[in-house]
Amino acid sequence: MHRESDFDAAFAAIVTERLEVLFIAADALMLLHGKRVTGNHEAAIALHFMHYNFARLHKTLRVTPTMEAGLAHHVWSWRR
């Protein structure tokens, strides 16, 4: 069974929380100015999808989605 270290789990939780705040702030900024701010928003979305698919163990799968699909053989960490 794959296990994340306590540091990786805590760091992933902090990053996920910060990304959610960033998404909310970016949406508010876009509504306020009536235009899309894409550079940082796209980078934040890319980081979120990387974490969701490569670094986060899903309870129903018990592995990451990329491991389930056979695209990765280990759980990625933010340190790499």
Side-chain angles (χ1 to χ4, degrees):
M1 182 191 288
H2 302 282
R3 292 181 182 238
E4 290 182 304
S5 71
D6 291 337
F7 174 80
D8 287 339
F11 186 73
I14 291 169
V15 169
T16 302
E17 181 180 322
R18 298 283 168 104
L19 285 174
E20 289 174 359
V21 170
L22 179 63
F23 290 151
I24 292 169
D27 287 341
L29 182 64
M30 286 186 280
L31 286 173
L32 181 64
H33 293 288
K35 60 183 177 181
R36 295 191 67 80
V37 179
T38 58
N40 290 338
H41 192 66
E42 287 175 359
I45 291 171
L47 284 173
H48 172 75
F49 279 105
M50 178 275 170
H51 174 260
Y52 184 86
N53 290 309
F54 288 89
R56 181 175 180 264
L57 291 173
H58 294 251
K59 290 181 182 179
T60 56
L61 297 175
R62 297 187 182 164
V63 292
T64 66
T66 52
M67 291 172 65
E68 182 70 21
L71 300 174
H73 300 290
H74 64 280
V75 178
W76 290 26
S77 69
W78 287 103
R79 290 182 187 181
R80 288 185 158 193

